[in-house]
Amino acid sequence: MFIQTQPLSDEDRMQFFPGRQVLPNGSVLFDDAEKGKEKSPLAARLFDIPGVQAIEFGEDVITVTKLSAAEKGPMWIQLKPMVLAAIMDHYMTGMPVLNGPISEVGENSYSDEDQAIVDAVRELVEERVRPQLLDDGGDLGFKAYDPTTGLITLEMDSSGLSTPAFGTQIKIENTIKHFVPEISRVKFDRMVQETEVEDGDRPGLRTPEAEAIRILLETRINPAIAAHGGYIDLIDIQEDVAYVEMAGGCQGCGMADATLKQGVEVEIKKAVPSIGQVLDVTDHAGGTNPYYTGY
């Protein structure tokens, strides 16, 4: 399991994409911890994390709202590893996200009238706009709707477009505003790319050992080095060797090797006995690292 994250314009909100279905359709918002814990096993895990204020479930996304700095809320560098661990732990149990049908469990994020607008935009995107964009090398998907301003946010992948992205976005916005007049403006966010590798590319990342190492990194190791601005990520597992990358403050640090050998490697071997060696593939000196050839 590999979870993608996406910061939002509101710095107190962040989206988590588990790469699995969250809800079969619609969305559910929990802004009350007690109700959330009663109605959802996943929400219960997330609300147990200090600083989590609200949780919204979508079809493939979990949006977490934390207490603001003014409310003495935690920073994301502290909160994010705990949220990732809670999501991983939930999916490993096999428990449902909700304790019943959506209609009986939580409050939908949209009123019936607003949901009709969202459905109209989704249908327009899927049936008219997205097919043409795919033919041109791009992609498009619905992300959010703000009923108070009439703003629709779409995720767009324009990396492969044969035409200028700006001109394409204007055409898309004009099309949506023409067919759904309730929309006042269309915002385009970068589409979250699926980074989980395909089978045969880096199959080591799909093993139970890889998942155990990720949980260890996110729940114990990364929070410990976060104070120094560092972050460690698992790159691959090949046979009994785990390859990691040291980012942030760890990249280029003179103590990186000691941190790896005396701390990280010891912890990984203890948690996953089948791992015999942990190698750092970070380009600390800015030179070429042969491991990345072909990636």
Side-chain angles (χ1 to χ4, degrees):
M1 184 177 184
F2 191 81
I3 302 173
Q4 284 285 328
T5 61
Q6 177 69 45
L8 299 175
S9 55
D10 181 349
E11 62 182 17
D12 294 323
R13 301 177 72 234
M14 182 174 289
Q15 291 183 316
F16 296 79
F17 296 82
R20 304 183 184 183
Q21 183 186 79
V22 181
L23 297 180
N25 55 71
S27 58
V28 172
L29 173 65
F30 293 114
D31 54 12
D32 178 86
E34 292 305 315
K35 183 176 181 179
K37 291 180 178 182
E38 176 187 352
K39 302 295 185 180
S40 166
L42 176 53
R45 289 179 182 271
L46 294 171
F47 275 123
D48 280 340
I49 301 172
V52 171
Q53 188 176 46
I55 300 161
E56 182 178 356
F57 297 140
E59 295 178 12
D60 63 350
V61 62
I62 301 162
T63 303
V64 176
T65 303
K66 70 176 185 67
L67 291 173
S68 65
E71 299 171 299
K72 298 183 179 180
M75 297 175 63
W76 280 115
I77 197 171
Q78 302 167 314
L79 194 62
K80 181 180 170 182
M82 292 185 282
V83 173
L84 290 170
I87 295 172
M88 288 182 182
D89 288 346
H90 170 80
Y91 278 98
M92 289 176 68
T93 67
M95 297 178 68
V97 172
L98 301 177
N99 290 325
I102 295 176
S103 59
E104 299 176 8
V105 170
E107 298 179 2
N108 196 290
S109 299
Y110 305 112
S111 66
D112 291 343
E113 181 179 351
D114 293 332
Q115 186 64 52
I117 295 173
V118 170
D119 291 342
V121 172
R122 284 182 182 272
E123 182 178 357
L124 183 62
V125 167
E126 289 299 324
E127 295 187 2
R128 295 178 62 98
V129 181
R130 187 166 180 256
Q132 297 181 33
L133 199 61
L134 287 171
D135 289 341
D136 197 32
D139 201 358
L140 191 72
F142 174 85
K143 186 173 183 179
Y145 171 54
D146 185 350
T148 60
T149 62
L151 170 68
I152 280 285
T153 302
L154 303 176
E155 289 183 312
M156 182 176 180
D157 177 14
S158 58
S159 58
L161 288 179
S162 60
T163 56
F166 182 70
T168 301
Q169 290 174 353
I170 292 176
K171 292 179 181 178
I172 293 172
E173 179 168 5
N174 289 340
T175 299
I176 291 177
K177 290 166 68 174
H178 173 75
F179 286 100
V180 188
E182 292 87 353
I183 301 303
S184 62
R185 189 163 66 91
V186 179
K187 175 186 174 185
F188 295 89
D189 283 354
R190 180 180 61 84
M191 180 170 281
V192 176
Q193 299 298 312
E194 179 60 65
T195 59
E196 186 175 1
V197 296
E198 297 295 331
D199 289 331
D201 209 359
R202 277 190 259 175
L205 293 180
R206 296 181 180 273
T207 61
E209 290 81 3
E211 187 161 354
I213 291 174
R214 285 199 190 98
I215 293 175
L216 174 67
L217 290 173
E218 296 295 349
T219 59
R220 295 182 57 184
I221 294 176
N222 283 331
I225 63 176
H228 303 283
Y231 188 85
I232 298 176
D233 195 16
L234 177 66
I235 299 301
D236 198 3
I237 294 179
Q238 296 179 4
E239 297 181 351
D240 67 340
V241 180
Y243 296 90
V244 299
E245 181 180 28
M246 306 179 75
C250 289
Q251 186 174 16
C253 175
M255 294 297 294
D257 187 63
T259 299
L260 180 71
K261 296 299 181 184
Q262 298 175 20
V264 177
E265 184 169 19
V266 172
E267 290 295 319
I268 289 178
K269 287 181 177 179
K270 186 186 301 182
V272 187
S274 60
I275 297 298
Q277 187 178 13
V278 178
L279 295 182
D280 177 16
V281 300
T282 310
D283 183 10
H284 287 288
T288 301
N289 192 313
Y291 179 85
Y292 287 107
T293 301
Y295 285 84

